[in-house]
Amino acid sequence: LHELWARAQGTQLRERESRFRYTPTTCFETFPFPFPDAAQTEAIAAADGVKVETYPSLLVTYLYLNNAKPPFDNPAARKAMVSAVDRAGIIDGIMMGKAQPMNGPIPEGMWGYDATLPAAEWNIDAATSAFADLGLAGQTLTFALSDRDPAWNMIALAVQANLAQAG
């Protein structure tokens, strides 16, 4: 796959050895590995002679909160936000069950991971109550979103729906 891509892009470091032409604009770009969706993965797996395997990774998706500015400078607001997000729904519905919720900022398998930290629980009632107690009910939250991962837009919409449900 990489050779086909490199030939199509005309990218190489040593023209005489590889017979690829040199184009300085693509020479040092990262190889864009495809990110198939569930239907594409099933189609690939169904192809003759193809075996699809999945392995754990340290790829994580975070919702970063600026805890230097209101309202997230208040730990209670951060806790309410965590309680409002249905991680299991995101994992099952968007990540097709191919993810696991984190219990802290460091993923399992990485140095510093602490298995003794309690996992966050989705509790829409607690989130709704906390937002009301903090005077945040009905407030608007704006966040930046990258399009680097195709799932992030869907996750953002799920978080938006969760927050709307929490008030």
Side-chain angles (χ1 to χ4, degrees):
L1 185 62
H2 184 263
E3 183 178 338
L4 293 174
W5 174 83
R7 286 186 189 279
Q9 291 294 313
T11 301
Q12 61 93 28
L13 293 176
R14 289 175 239 133
E15 184 174 353
R16 286 181 293 180
E17 295 172 20
S18 66
R19 294 194 180 111
F20 298 149
R21 60 183 196 273
Y22 173 74
T23 56
T25 58
T26 60
C27 185
F28 295 104
E29 288 182 7
T30 303
F31 171 64
F33 197 77
F35 187 78
D37 61 28
Q40 292 169 327
T41 300
E42 288 177 18
I44 292 167
D48 288 337
V50 174
K51 181 179 179 182
V52 175
E53 295 187 23
T54 58
Y55 298 94
S57 78
L58 295 177
L59 179 65
V60 297
T61 297
Y62 292 104
L63 176 60
Y64 295 95
L65 304 175
N66 185 346
N67 62 5
K69 294 182 177 181
F72 297 117
D73 58 339
N74 182 340
R78 295 193 300 268
K79 185 174 181 181
M81 180 74 168
V82 169
S83 295
V85 177
D86 179 11
R87 284 167 297 289
I90 291 170
I91 290 169
D92 292 341
I94 297 171
M95 306 306 291
M96 306 302 170
K98 301 291 185 191
Q100 65 183 42
M102 293 172 46
N103 67 336
I106 302 174
E108 184 176 354
M110 184 177 279
W111 180 86
Y113 171 74
D114 185 354
T116 65
L117 292 174
E121 294 183 19
W122 180 42
N123 187 333
I124 200 69
D125 293 332
T128 301
S129 177
F131 285 142
D133 291 347
L134 294 165
L136 298 175
Q139 296 294 314
T140 299
L141 174 67
T142 303
F143 57 92
L145 176 66
S146 168
D147 62 358
R148 181 181 166 146
D149 185 326
W152 290 348
N153 189 51
M154 292 181 288
I155 292 170
L157 291 172
V159 169
Q160 180 184 36
N162 290 155
L163 293 174
Q165 186 180 0

